[in-house]
Amino acid sequence: RKKLLEIKGLQTTFFTDDGQIPAVDNIDFSVYEGEIVGIVGESGSGKSVTSLSIMGLIPSPPGKITGGEILLDGKNIAAYTDKQMQKVRGKDVAMIFQEPMTSLNPLFTIGDQLKEAILIHSPKWSKKEALARAVEIMKLVGLPRAEALLKDYPHQLSGGMRQRVMIAMALLCNPKVLIADEPTTALDVTIQAQILQLMKDLNHRLNTAVLLITHDLGVVAETCERVIVMYAGQIVEEAPIAEIFAEPKHPYTQGLIKSVPDMRYKKDNLYSIPGTVPKPGSIKVGCRFAARCEYAMERCTQETPPLYEAGEQHKSRCFLQDEQEVKQRVERFIES
Ligand code: SF4
Ligand code: MG
């Protein structure tokens, strides 16, 4: 499969009164054609900043991409001007957000907004052609009575339908990559499942690569082929989906898996990882997860763990992955 998107050493910094905050701190990953990749982490992990960096939507000031490359089809879009990025956005890479109400304009009908979005990238089209395309894409995302819906205003639609409209808008120009940031978080469980299924169908039918950003590993389990786990601005684990659930390597990922709600039992008192994500940049040396890690060793606060190879397609940023460490543990065990 072809590499569509390649993130190399990406660094996105926020310049605040409290100093420089490296919200995304030297991350590397790739997305291949037709693939669905999940990025998982708690709030403050840097996952949304990663997606906004790819979209060229980091608010500046205070934010700025301060290092690395974002290669889309081999071209470094991190170096693009705002004007150049406007041509890429929506056309090559599109994004849908958590709350469609904030991205749809309440004063305009669905039809007007879809038409406008089409005409930005295809200014030569007639209004009639644009509306025909709008109807076609609305049917594709499973919106019933598409023609009638064109005349509706956003508030007349249910949350699930609004999210379908947003997905339609994102797909208008056949983007190569679709970034979905918490696309189902604001929806109830049934609608959530339908939207995830829709994204899978679209990925299958249109071969659009999807980067799914979520705090919920359960969402990733149902949708993605591969998952990247972020913590305090860094990637801490990356693996194919089956492998990460069968054999999570990083203690943070293990905690996230334990916190996935089990719908079958409707458990109330869920496990949650104690403590909170440290502010990126606040820990200069050592593992950023150490304060919350039940396996933390002396070494974890004195040295900074690299991203170890933990399998053929598996990486983990944890000293437990270090062969020397493993050997010493076995030796200590044998001696005792
Ligand atoms: Fe825990 Fe140490 Fe691994 Fe960090 S490096 S996750 S503190 S065991
Ligand atoms: Mg977010």
Side-chain angles (χ1 to χ4, degrees):
R1 284 204 279 197
K2 199 176 132 207
K3 207 181 260 185
L4 260 187
L5 186 65
E6 188 177 7
I7 313 294
K8 282 163 104 174
L10 179 67
Q11 183 95 15
T12 303
T13 308
F14 284 79
F15 296 83
T16 72
D17 293 342
D18 297 339
Q20 298 184 15
I21 299 173
V24 167
D25 197 0
N26 194 8
I27 64 167
D28 298 274
F29 69 90
S30 297
V31 178
Y32 293 82
E33 210 170 51
E35 193 183 29
I36 308 188
V37 179
I39 299 188
V40 183
E42 291 162 286
S43 83
S45 62
K47 58 192 196 304
S48 289
V49 177
T50 301
S51 60
L52 292 173
S53 300
I54 298 168
M55 291 299 290
L57 290 174
I58 291 293
S60 170
K64 195 177 188 293
I65 293 177
T66 44
E69 297 182 330
I70 299 171
L71 301 170
L72 181 64
D73 255 343
K75 289 185 213 84
N76 181 19
I77 58 172
Y80 277 20
T81 61
D82 284 347
K83 215 168 163 197
Q84 285 175 305
M85 241 358 250
Q86 272 169 26
K87 293 200 182 114
V88 172
R89 240 187 337 258
K91 196 165 158 287
D92 297 318
V93 41
M95 184 158 175
I96 52 174
F97 299 88
Q98 176 173 347
E99 186 32 81
M101 214 42 190
T102 57
S103 6
L104 288 169
N105 189 325
L107 302 177
F108 292 96
T109 63
I110 302 299
D112 282 339
Q113 297 188 56
L114 284 169
K115 196 178 68 194
E116 278 311 304
I118 293 169
L119 293 177
I120 287 173
H121 289 290
S122 312
K124 291 198 184 103
W125 284 24
S126 71
K127 281 184 186 163
K128 218 175 135 193
E129 282 170 319
L131 279 177
R133 170 70 180 152
V135 168
E136 180 193 1
I137 199 94
M138 283 165 88
K139 286 184 177 156
L140 186 74
V141 300
L143 282 165
R145 310 181 300 112
E147 282 88 354
L149 268 185
L150 290 174
K151 298 190 189 74
D152 281 349
Y153 288 87
H155 75 267
Q156 293 175 280
L157 273 57
S158 67
M161 282 168 91
R162 278 199 294 268
Q163 194 55 288
R164 282 177 198 263
V165 169
M166 286 313 300
I167 295 172
M169 204 174 279
L171 293 174
L172 282 173
C173 302
N174 289 321
K176 299 180 187 105
V177 184
L178 176 67
I179 300 176
D181 192 347
E182 304 275 9
T184 60
T185 303
L187 305 170
D188 74 48
V189 179
T190 320
I191 308 293
Q192 177 171 329
Q194 289 170 8
I195 295 290
L196 292 177
Q197 187 55 49
L198 171 66
M199 307 237 314
K200 276 205 281 191
D201 290 347
L202 292 169
N203 161 266
H204 196 73
R205 284 158 68 181
L206 307 173
N207 205 32
T208 315
V210 178
L211 190 58
L212 181 68
I213 316 286
T214 175
H215 66 281
D216 185 349
L217 254 183
V219 163
V220 160
E222 279 169 42
T223 321
C224 301
E225 293 163 56
R226 203 151 58 81
V227 59
I228 291 161
V229 182
M230 284 189 74
Y231 189 80
Q234 293 180 314
I235 291 175
V236 294
E237 185 155 10
E238 182 183 334
I241 199 76
E243 208 169 310
I244 211 147
F245 280 96
E247 245 186 291
K249 301 285 188 189
H250 198 284
Y252 178 58
T253 312
Q254 293 168 5
L256 284 181
I257 291 173
K258 272 204 267 177
S259 346
V260 174
D262 193 330
M263 298 322 292
R264 286 169 301 175
Y265 306 113
K266 289 205 167 71
K267 273 194 261 174
D268 291 334
N269 53 347
L270 285 175
Y271 174 81
S272 76
I273 305 166
T276 51
V277 183
K279 208 158 85 182
S282 64
I283 296 170
K284 304 266 185 272
V285 180
C287 171
R288 294 177 188 189
F289 188 60
R292 305 171 76 185
C293 180
E294 54 181 302
Y295 303 100
M297 310 162 262
E298 209 179 317
R299 175 180 190 191
C300 300
T301 49
Q302 293 165 353
E303 297 167 54
T304 305
L307 201 54
Y308 290 98
E309 299 287 338
E312 209 182 314
Q313 295 181 71
H314 201 152
K315 291 178 189 141
S316 173
R317 190 183 295 281
C318 173
F319 286 128
L320 297 174
Q321 221 45 60
D322 190 338
E323 270 178 56
Q324 280 311 107
E325 192 62 46
V326 173
K327 237 169 89 189
Q328 282 170 14
R329 282 179 170 241
V330 172
E331 276 164 19
R332 276 196 299 259
F333 177 76
I334 293 168
E335 279 166 23
S336 68

